[in-house]
Amino acid sequence: MASAASEEAVKAAKVLMVGAGGIGCELLKTLALTGFSDIHLIDLDTIEVSNLNRQFLFRKSHVGQSKAHVARDAVLKFRPKINISSYHANVKDAQFNVDFFKQFNVVLNGLDNLDARRHVNRLCLAAEVPLVESGTTGFLGQVTVHVKGKTECYECQPKPVPKSYPVCTITSTPSKFVHCIVWAKDLLFAKLFGDKNQDNDLNVHSKDGSSSKSDVFERDVDEDLDQYARRIYDHVFGYNIEVALDNEETWKNRRRPTPVYIRDTLPEETVQQNGTSRECNNGHEEPSAMASLGFRNPQEIWTLADNSRVFLETLKLFFEKRQKEIGNLIFDKDDQLAVELVTSAANIRAHSFGIPLHSLFEAKGVAGNIVHAVATTNAMIAGLIVIEAVKVLQGDYKNYRMTYCLEHAKRKMLLMPVEPFEPNESCYVCSETPLLLDVNTKTTKLREVIDKIIKSKLGMNLPLVMIGSTLVFEDGDGLEEDEAANYALNLEKVLAELPAPVINGTKLTVEDFQQELSCSINIKHREEFDEEKEPDGMVLSGWSAPVEKQVTSNGGKLAASSSSAHDTVGDASANPGTKRKLDEVLESKENCDASSSAQVIEDDDDTIMLDEDPTLLKKKRSQ
Amino acid sequence: MGGAGAEEELTAQETALYDRQIRVWGVDAQKRLSKAHVLVCGVNGTTIEFCKNIVLAGVGSLSLMDDHIVTQDDLNANFLIPPDESIYGGRSRAEVCCESLKDFNPMVRVAVAKGDPSLIDGEFLDRFDIIVVSCRPLKTKLFINDNCRKRSKHIAFYSIECKDSCGEIFADLQNHSYVQKMPGKEPEQQELTYPSLQEAISVPWKSLPKKTTKLYFAMRVLESFESSEGRNPGETSLSDLPAVLARRKEMCDRMSLNESQIPTVLLERLLAAGKKEHPPVCAILGGILGQEVIKSISCKGDPMKNFFYFDTADGKGVMEDVPPTPAD
């Protein structure tokens, strides 16, 4: 609301925006129009074509350029007098430390991944700067306010972690299309074109040892490309299935898969036939099996035969046109040929296991964990962020709201405000409650605990691990050589054999200086873990679901015109379960939407979950 | 679903550009969008937000009608007008904004429609599927809505107003059938019948549910005041309060509504707002309207029936069905 006081607060404010993507573009525009005149903007991404349908500050000519810089320039065109500082950088970089954060009156997040969100949350807590957090998926969205000591922090509610699948489901007993995608992407694609030194669970041995090779994926220098493609086909879709079938125990209560051989799927086609069309491929265009085979429609579900043609063609194109990249490739959803290979391979495997086939468009969504996005939701969410930011600047904490943007109106509301919750007393991020780790101290290496728990689950960037007063590990630059060597040695030791042994009852202290976060982990020794349910071989707990108490504004009522006795949000405060229920509603909706386009969504409604850190992926690619 | 002309496939260019949104509403909806023609009468911060959204979404064409010459005031909530008089000086709002909008999506035709919205005739309307009117007198809105209804072609009508920190959207989709998809249920064909603007604003207040948002009533009082004074929406100030309070009393007495249902503070806010638009509210209203128009064109998803209100004071975005649809 444009009262004189709020206008002053806006004018004087220095704000940090993290993310210049879907929400970020809208937010930067709305901030500038509202009168904000000192805005700092961080984004490490560059612009892609699939951004242009909603990230309206970008044009086709900007593809490949920094989002932060282009967004800044675009907004300065209509508000030339304001100050926008743009950083084409990762918010996790050391330059954005607690001191950097302290200069701002409020931080506004328009991020697309959990990792960065958690990092910013911690820095905001450490710097004591209020955070307005947001997220969207399709028509759904939400805006929340996090002010230290007043409301819950972003991590007070445990966040769903990326779904991982037991190895055997992927290698031997897939039951969903997504399992076939994971197999095609993480095993087959990685085996064919990725780093040869990486562990891979694909069977590489052939039946009779007739081949001299120990690894059937190796191609002889003089081996015909067609022959090679067909050999790989028969091995992964035929022979490997036969091997799996030998294990009778597996199939007692399961449908038995059918091996697929190229002589059955494409009986008419001789070896040479496929190769001809490729030659008319325009040299300037990205190689594509769809293009060379004349398939136009990515929405179409190909037959088994067509999938087989695409598979052979992609393999050949990789070897013919992209030979140099082989050995260094990582799956990327924007790499057309890679998507074609993964789609066709997943479909052929799906056929074997009696799982319905999917179109390339759908398969790409599953493989790339693509989150649905439209401009309208982002625009509304950005508007709501600014409204909350203005309240934060005025310290109007009684009126802070978290707002849900809904697809189906709930009690007449499409935009539903809810009072924020109090901090969760057992939150390990904003309180000092210790966590509990069940782990086999005799077999688990320190490295596993650091990777799977401290980095992945606790989201620490540069962790330090202490046992009592003994420092066993520290990350980051500036270490002495002998220190670094010592820590490297410790990483490979099992917990019980560390310089200060970790056994049942030991307390670990882990810290991240950049995030100024410290927490304690009590160790409980356990020997047995369920491979299906506890694939990490360790279980972190003690981060109990919070007792839900809302910040009490006087009378717990909403301001102004909502004075009617049973006003909708009033109901919410009377019923502590409401927020959770709403989350469930949002989630179920999502799953329902997803069913039409395969199991795209395995994640939270406000985060894109990637199997790999996308920043890492980009860095690797650009090297 | 399906429908005439939906057979052609999207081009590779369209598929690449619209990838993320096709994952939301499907290819079929995308094809329908690309064949829809939208007219916006009244270019301001709120309608510009809407225009941006549907140009990005990929409608077939967008026409802008607003002959007013751009003034300094127009820059406040409008990001399409560069603050450079050598660019906007002497040109109409429609012209200046049209130029900027074209850039957003080369696959959408954006054009200026010259003329006076209060004189739009029926045949002209037939060129469009969607008409959005903003900042025009009630008389003009009623005239256009009435003309839309007289055509044999289905033309959806929307009105949208931002009053600084709050706003109103009205929709008349006449007879609208669509596919409803509720979580955990099979898609279902639904039919809705909308009242005209005239019907929707003349409903006896006594017949409305108690929980009806106060903004509905307040906007009717304001509208009635502006009409009787021959003013455009927003040509008001706090000095009009006594006359507006008298109008409130007269209307409440006539329709047996307690005056406290239309708080004086709320009327004060609306009067003080004048033509001012709060940019975050523009973004919210323009976002909702964008979504509604996409639903209407694609015949997918529950459309709003028939009013939407947003108020920063309570942060709620509510729909009101006026007159209420009788329960089956």
Side-chain angles (χ1 to χ4, degrees):
Chain A
M1 275 170 290
S3 70
S6 73
E7 274 175 27
E8 275 313 304
V10 162
K11 222 180 252 170
K14 185 168 183 177
V15 303
L16 175 64
M17 270 183 65
V18 191
I23 293 173
C25 280
E26 295 286 343
L27 183 57
L28 186 61
K29 171 254 312 167
T30 305
L31 285 172
L33 290 175
T34 306
F36 283 84
S37 53
D38 193 358
I39 306 167
H40 291 240
L41 171 61
I42 304 174
D43 196 311
L44 90 161
D45 269 344
T46 52
I47 296 159
E48 289 176 28
V49 171
S50 62
N51 300 149
L52 303 179
N53 79 320
R54 61 196 186 285
Q55 298 175 18
F56 74 101
L57 299 174
F58 310 145
R59 304 284 171 268
K60 202 154 187 192
S61 58
H62 297 135
V63 168
Q65 297 181 39
S66 150
K67 285 187 176 180
H69 297 330
V70 175
R72 168 184 182 273
D73 293 347
V75 168
L76 287 179
K77 281 195 181 128
F78 63 85
R79 286 293 181 273
K81 286 179 189 153
I82 69 171
N83 170 42
I84 305 174
S85 308
S86 54
Y87 307 83
H88 181 204
N90 189 336
V91 70
K92 289 170 84 174
D93 289 351
Q95 58 171 316
F96 308 120
N97 56 15
V98 175
D99 282 336
F100 176 85
F101 273 70
K102 275 185 177 156
Q103 62 182 310
F104 299 104
N105 301 101
V106 64
V107 174
L108 312 174
N109 266 359
L111 282 162
D112 64 358
N113 69 86
L114 182 63
D115 200 36
R117 281 187 168 101
R118 291 166 68 169
H119 186 82
V120 173
N121 180 49
R122 290 159 191 201
L123 283 161
C124 285
L125 284 167
E128 303 205 29
V129 178
L131 169 67
V132 182
E133 171 61 67
S134 68
T136 64
T137 302
F139 293 121
L140 306 177
Q142 65 196 50
V143 173
T144 53
V145 187
H146 307 283
V147 182
K148 191 173 182 178
K150 292 214 158 52
T151 68
E152 61 178 13
C153 84
Y154 175 69
E155 294 174 271
C156 276
Q157 317 289 342
K159 298 283 177 279
V161 287
K163 181 116 183 161
S164 62
Y165 302 97
V167 174
C168 60
T169 306
I170 301 305
T171 56
S172 342
T173 56
S175 57
K176 289 177 176 174
F177 187 64
V178 63
H179 301 151
C180 301
I181 286 284
V182 173
W183 175 86
K185 184 175 75 159
D186 294 350
L187 298 184
L188 182 62
F189 185 87
K191 181 78 213 165
L192 284 165
F193 308 120
D195 182 354
K196 296 275 180 270
N197 299 320
Q198 239 170 19
D199 283 349
N200 195 303
D201 289 307
L202 265 194
N203 173 28
V204 299
H205 305 293
S206 68
K207 179 165 19 188
D208 42 12
S210 62
S211 157
S212 54
K213 292 186 255 332
S214 59
D215 182 341
V216 294
F217 286 90
E218 275 172 33
R219 182 180 161 218
D220 287 337
V221 195
D222 57 348
E223 187 175 13
D224 179 79
L225 201 42
D226 275 305
Q227 290 293 354
Y228 174 72
R230 287 166 176 256
R231 195 162 61 74
I232 296 299
Y233 185 104
D234 283 346
H235 178 79
V236 298
F237 303 118
Y239 174 69
N240 277 357
I241 301 280
E242 305 262 15
V243 172
L245 279 169
D246 288 345
N247 192 350
E248 287 298 334
E249 202 58 27
T250 313
W251 312 109
K252 267 190 176 159
N253 303 309
R254 287 190 176 93
R255 179 192 176 281
R256 296 171 67 88
T258 328
V260 178
Y261 289 97
I262 197 71
R263 59 174 181 270
D264 304 319
T265 46
L266 298 174
E268 302 301 319
E269 287 168 40
T270 64
V271 169
Q272 292 308 320
Q273 215 172 344
N274 277 301
T276 48
S277 54
R278 254 182 357 266
E279 304 313 321
C280 51
N281 216 7
N282 185 338
H284 298 293
E285 275 175 31
E286 232 187 293
S288 151
M290 277 182 76
S292 46
L293 294 171
F295 295 164
R296 293 244 173 72
N297 186 0
Q299 312 279 341
E300 187 181 42
I301 298 174
W302 302 324
T303 60
L304 178 61
D306 281 343
N307 275 297
S308 305
R309 288 186 186 98
V310 171
F311 180 81
L312 297 179
E313 187 69 14
T314 50
L315 255 185
K316 284 182 272 182
L317 285 172
F318 266 116
F319 277 94
E320 278 181 352
K321 313 267 177 182
R322 296 174 60 179
Q323 180 81 49
K324 280 184 200 145
E325 298 165 70
I326 292 175
N328 304 309
L329 276 163
I330 294 170
F331 176 80
D332 177 352
K333 65 182 185 324
D334 296 310
D335 179 343
Q336 170 73 15
L337 195 59
V339 171
E340 290 171 350
L341 181 113
V342 165
T343 301
S344 59
N347 273 331
I348 301 164
R349 186 166 174 83
H351 173 87
S352 276
F353 285 86
I355 298 165
L357 309 197
H358 287 70
S359 71
L360 177 117
F361 178 81
E362 293 166 318
K364 179 178 166 181
V366 181
N369 278 325
I370 293 174
V371 167
H372 314 165
V374 284
T376 49
T377 317
N378 289 336
M380 291 190 275
I381 287 298
L384 291 166
I385 294 173
V386 176
I387 289 170
E388 289 310 315
V390 173
K391 290 184 211 168
V392 166
L393 292 174
Q394 296 181 280
D396 186 13
Y397 71 89
K398 285 177 185 162
N399 285 314
Y400 292 170
R401 293 292 175 270
M402 29 191 192
T403 307
Y404 293 91
C405 181
L406 306 173
E407 183 176 5
H408 303 280
K410 218 170 143 68
R411 287 172 297 185
K412 299 200 298 190
M413 281 184 278
L414 283 172
L415 298 174
M416 184 174 189
V418 181
E419 284 181 34
F421 289 84
E422 280 186 355
N424 174 7
E425 284 166 15
S426 74
C427 173
Y428 75 90
V429 179
C430 69
S431 83
E432 276 154 27
T433 313
L435 295 157
L436 182 69
L437 181 66
D438 283 29
V439 63
N440 188 335
T441 55
K442 292 175 191 160
T443 58
T444 311
K445 289 177 185 167
L446 180 62
R447 175 190 294 284
E448 292 174 77
V449 175
I450 288 175
D451 287 349
K452 291 179 182 170
I453 302 295
I454 297 171
K455 285 192 177 170
S456 158
K457 291 243 160 50
L458 301 183
M460 287 190 179
N461 219 6
L462 300 171
L464 168 157
V465 183
M466 289 205 324
I467 301 156
S469 58
T470 312
L471 192 56
V472 293
F473 180 75
E474 198 179 348
D475 213 339
D477 306 328
L479 291 176
E480 297 290 334
E481 239 171 73
D482 56 332
E483 279 179 325
N486 193 20
Y487 295 146
L489 221 59
N490 284 346
L491 278 181
E492 303 309 324
K493 288 185 181 157
V494 297
L495 296 177
E497 287 161 18
L498 284 166
V502 174
I503 53 168
N504 194 40
T506 306
K507 185 168 153 187
L508 295 187
T509 306
V510 291
E511 290 184 21
D512 187 307
F513 283 125
Q514 195 190 357
Q515 299 174 345
E516 286 198 11
L517 175 64
S518 165
C519 56
S520 314
I521 305 176
N522 292 323
I523 298 293
K524 190 179 157 202
H525 176 75
R526 167 144 68 105
E527 311 221 327
E528 303 280 318
F529 289 90
D530 185 326
E531 197 191 327
E532 292 266 334
K533 288 178 195 143
E534 302 160 338
D536 286 340
M538 46 191 131
V539 178
L540 184 73
S541 59
W543 185 7
S544 58
V547 184
E548 286 169 8
K549 275 182 290 185
Q550 285 178 300
V551 175
T552 16
S553 54
N554 295 338
K557 255 188 291 174
L558 282 173
S561 60
S562 59
S563 52
S564 57
H566 289 291
D567 233 327
T568 41
V569 179
D571 292 349
S573 45
N575 174 1
T578 307
K579 188 199 166 197
R580 224 44 65 214
K581 277 185 203 141
L582 190 66
D583 279 346
E584 282 160 26
V585 170
L586 290 176
E587 248 154 54
S588 65
K589 210 169 285 162
E590 209 133 87
N591 292 334
C592 172
D593 285 350
S595 66
S596 60
S597 55
Q599 300 83 351
V600 177
I601 302 292
E602 301 279 352
D603 48 273
D604 193 10
D605 58 301
D606 61 348
T607 49
I608 299 180
M609 296 294 183
L610 294 136
D611 292 348
E612 291 205 56
D613 182 358
T615 59
L616 200 80
L617 215 145
K618 285 225 171 83
K619 275 186 197 144
K620 282 193 190 155
R621 263 172 71 79
S622 60
Q623 273 164 10
Chain B
M1 301 282 292
E7 292 78 24
E8 303 144 48
E9 284 171 16
L10 297 173
T11 63
Q13 194 190 6
E14 287 171 314
T15 310
L17 176 64
Y18 301 134
D19 183 279
R20 297 302 184 273
Q21 66 197 39
I22 291 174
R23 294 179 193 280
V24 178
W25 52 59
V27 186
D28 209 56
Q30 191 62 50
K31 288 178 192 162
R32 284 169 187 251
L33 273 175
S34 68
K35 292 189 179 65
H37 304 287
V38 180
L39 172 68
V40 171
C41 303
V43 172
N44 51 44
T46 311
T47 49
I48 278 312
E49 280 282 344
F50 163 74
C51 291
K52 171 205 70 192
N53 293 335
I54 57 156
V55 167
L56 289 171
V59 291
S61 76
L62 168 67
S63 302
L64 301 178
M65 183 178 272
D66 194 327
D67 293 341
H68 289 87
I69 301 301
V70 174
T71 65
Q72 195 73 39
D73 284 347
D74 291 318
L75 272 61
N76 289 335
N78 192 325
F79 56 89
L80 294 182
I81 308 176
D84 178 351
E85 236 193 307
S86 71
I87 296 174
Y88 70 73
R91 301 171 69 202
S92 76
R93 293 173 187 159
E95 277 171 339
V96 176
C97 294
C98 172
E99 223 159 78
S100 309
L101 275 169
K102 274 181 183 163
D103 271 2
F104 283 27
N105 187 345
M107 284 184 267
V108 177
R109 270 169 291 139
V110 187
V112 174
K114 289 213 160 123
D116 181 348
S118 66
L119 302 170
I120 289 179
D121 70 7
E123 267 176 46
F124 175 78
L125 290 177
D126 279 352
R127 288 154 54 181
F128 303 100
D129 304 285
I130 304 281
I131 314 268
V132 173
V133 186
S134 184
C135 269
R136 290 292 171 272
L138 178 62
K139 196 173 64 183
T140 306
K141 290 181 181 174
L142 290 170
F143 170 78
I144 298 175
N145 179 232
D146 199 42
N147 272 332
C148 288
R149 295 190 139 246
K150 282 182 187 151
R151 309 307 299 176
S152 56
K153 181 186 175 188
H154 184 274
I155 306 170
F157 172 90
Y158 296 88
S159 147
I160 181 166
E161 297 297 335
C162 175
K163 302 275 172 196
D164 197 12
S165 58
C166 47
E168 177 187 71
I169 302 174
F170 165 79
D172 174 11
L173 308 188
Q174 303 179 41
N175 291 312
H176 180 70
S177 54
Y178 69 101
V179 180
Q180 184 186 51
K181 235 176 101 187
M182 292 301 278
K185 288 185 194 159
E186 284 293 301
E188 235 178 281
Q189 192 73 29
Q190 297 282 348
E191 309 284 333
L192 287 176
T193 303
Y194 283 72
S196 67
L197 178 58
Q198 182 66 65
E199 286 161 335
I201 63 171
S202 332
V203 177
W205 288 356
K206 217 179 174 261
S207 68
L208 294 175
K210 271 210 175 108
K211 279 187 176 177
T212 304
T213 179
K214 292 166 177 59
L215 264 172
Y216 169 81
F217 303 109
M219 288 296 284
R220 302 291 78 75
V221 172
L222 195 69
E223 191 175 75
S224 161
F225 169 76
E226 285 167 348
S227 299
S228 65
E229 297 273 310
R231 301 190 201 174
N232 281 320
E235 288 176 355
T236 54
S237 71
L238 265 182
S239 62
D240 297 314
L241 188 64
V244 168
L245 291 181
R247 175 71 45 152
R248 173 180 72 179
K249 183 171 190 329
E250 184 266 315
M251 291 174 85
C252 285
D253 285 352
R254 178 156 49 86
M255 293 190 273
S256 313
L257 184 78
N258 193 324
E259 277 188 73
S260 67
Q261 284 293 307
I262 316 175
T264 306
V265 274
L266 182 56
L267 289 171
E268 280 173 350
R269 276 174 61 206
L270 294 177
L271 286 173
K275 285 186 173 169
K276 209 166 167 208
E277 298 170 287
H278 190 34
V281 179
C282 296
I284 291 166
L285 293 173
I288 293 279
L289 183 60
Q291 237 155 53
E292 288 306 320
V293 164
I294 289 162
K295 284 190 225 169
S296 154
I297 295 169
S298 61
C299 298
K300 248 181 151 175
D302 293 317
M304 165 200 70
K305 182 168 179 289
N306 51 348
F307 285 95
F308 173 84
Y309 292 92
F310 179 76
D311 191 348
T312 45
D314 61 11
K316 288 187 209 169
V318 290
M319 296 198 291
E320 293 291 350
D321 189 10
V322 185
T325 309
D328 305 319

